[in-house]
Amino acid sequence: MNHTELLKGTLSTIILRLLEEKGRMYGYEITQMVKEKSGETILIKEGSLYPALHKLEADGLIVSEEVFIGKRVRKYYNLTKPGKKATRTSVDELLAFMQTIHNLITSELNPAHGAA
Amino acid sequence: MNHTELLKGTLSTIILRLLEEKGRMYGYEITQMVKEKSGETILIKEGSLYPALHKLEADGLIVSEEVFIGKRVRKYYNLTKPGKKATRTSVDELLAFMQTIHNLITSELNPAHGAA
DNA sequence: GTAAATACATAGTTTTGTGATATATTGTTA
DNA sequence: TAACAATATATCACAAAACTATGTATTTAC
C-alpha cells in the first residue's frame, strides 16, 4: 500500500464487499482485483490479507473451501449469512464516515473575508 | 470515536485542514470543532490529539505559542510554510484515496445476470 | 534450468488511536 | 461554599491493524 496508514479499518470492508459482488474468491484473486480496480494504487500485501481473511473467518463472516488446482491448494472464500449482513453495515458505515471526513476537510476556506 | 479504526491516518490531515481554514487554534478548540462539524460522530480523544499535535510540531508542520488566559495556559497552533504545503498534499491524497475506496465498494452488484 | 508469477502462511515491528489517569483553572448550581 | 461540570493540557499502557521480511511450494514462461 502506498497510502499505508489510510487503509486502516477499510480492508475488511473491501474484502467483504468484493465477496458480495463476486461470490467466491480466493486470496490472491482479491489482491489482484483490488490492484486492478484501484488503478494500481492499492496494493494489498500478503501480510495484511491473510490475517484479515483468517479473522473474518474466525468471526464467522466468511467460510473457506479448499480446492486443489493440480497440486496447489487454493482457498476459496464465501460470505456466510451473518457475513452478508455485516457487509451491508460495514459498507454503509464506511461510506458515511468518508462523507463526514469529506465535509470536514472540504468546507469553504475563510468565509470571513471575501465570500464571493 | 465510534468509528475507531477508520480514523487511522486521517487525524493529522483533519488537524492540518482546520488550521488552514481557521488560522490559529488550540487543542481543545480542535476537538470541539471536529465534534461539531461531524455532527457529534467524530470525537477526538485527548490521548489521540495531543500526541498528534506534538508530532506535527516535531515534524515542523505547525508551531505553538503559549498564551495565558488568566492563570490557564493555552497553546495556540499555526501552520508553518512547510505545513501549508503538507496540508495541500495531505488533503489531496486523502480525497483521492477516499474516491478510490468509494469506487471499490460501490461498483455495480453482479452485472453478470440481470443487468437492467 | 532459472526466473517470475501464483498461492498460501506467520513472526516481529511500527503506527496510531483509545482508555485511564493526572493536574489545574474556571464556571455553575445547590 | 462545596461539589461538579467544563475547560485545557499531558502522558502511559494497551490494542488494533497493516507492513516488512521470511518461508514454503507449484506452475508458467523464457
Side-chain angles (χ1 to χ4, degrees):
Chain A
M1 221 80 40
N2 356 10
H3 301 285
T4 318
E5 334 78 37
L6 291 179
L7 202 76
K8 300 276 172 109
T10 66
L11 183 54
S12 319
T13 307
I14 291 170
I15 294 172
L16 291 174
R17 175 66 188 107
L18 289 184
L19 287 176
E20 183 186 46
E21 188 183 333
K22 284 268 299 178
R24 78 177 208 170
M25 292 184 83
Y26 55 98
Y28 187 77
E29 190 184 7
I30 294 174
T31 65
Q32 297 308 302
M33 173 152 292
V34 170
K35 181 181 173 186
E36 185 215 317
K37 284 205 172 201
S38 69
E40 323 280 294
T41 60
I42 298 182
L43 308 173
I44 300 174
K45 306 297 163 27
E46 303 101 302
S48 315
L49 179 75
Y50 294 111
L53 285 172
H54 298 334
K55 184 170 190 309
L56 287 173
E57 188 167 29
D59 290 345
L61 303 183
I62 62 179
V63 274
S64 63
E65 167 197 3
E66 294 199 351
V67 175
F68 277 86
I69 307 293
K71 281 174 186 169
R72 175 146 57 202
V73 185
R74 191 182 274 175
K75 281 179 87 174
Y76 278 97
Y77 289 93
N78 277 284
L79 288 178
T80 60
K81 209 161 291 184
K84 286 177 191 177
K85 217 178 160 184
T87 302
R88 281 295 97 209
T89 312
S90 195
V91 168
D92 289 347
E93 266 177 25
L94 180 51
L95 288 175
F97 175 76
M98 292 198 302
Q99 184 60 55
T100 301
I101 298 293
H102 190 276
N103 291 343
L104 253 177
I105 65 175
T106 59
S107 51
E108 68 294 342
L109 270 155
N110 294 317
H113 54 78
Chain B
M1 221 78 46
N2 356 11
H3 301 285
T4 318
E5 332 79 36
L6 290 180
L7 202 75
K8 300 275 172 109
T10 67
L11 183 54
S12 319
T13 306
I14 291 170
I15 294 171
L16 291 173
R17 176 67 188 106
L18 289 184
L19 287 175
E20 183 187 45
E21 189 182 332
K22 285 268 298 176
R24 77 178 208 169
M25 292 183 83
Y26 55 97
Y28 188 76
E29 191 184 7
I30 294 175
T31 66
Q32 297 308 301
M33 172 151 294
V34 169
K35 182 182 172 186
E36 185 215 317
K37 284 205 171 202
S38 69
E40 323 279 294
T41 60
I42 299 183
L43 307 172
I44 300 174
K45 307 297 162 25
E46 305 99 304
S48 315
L49 179 75
Y50 294 109
L53 285 172
H54 299 334
K55 185 173 189 307
L56 287 173
E57 188 167 28
D59 290 346
L61 302 183
I62 63 180
V63 275
S64 64
E65 168 197 4
E66 293 200 352
V67 175
F68 277 86
I69 307 293
K71 280 174 185 166
R72 174 143 56 200
V73 186
R74 191 181 275 174
K75 282 178 86 174
Y76 278 97
Y77 289 92
N78 277 284
L79 288 179
T80 58
K81 208 160 292 184
K84 287 177 190 177
K85 218 177 159 185
T87 302
R88 280 297 98 209
T89 311
S90 196
V91 168
D92 289 348
E93 265 177 25
L94 180 51
L95 289 174
F97 175 75
M98 292 198 303
Q99 184 60 56
T100 301
I101 298 293
H102 191 277
N103 290 343
L104 253 177
I105 66 175
T106 59
S107 50
E108 68 295 339
L109 271 155
N110 292 319
H113 55 76

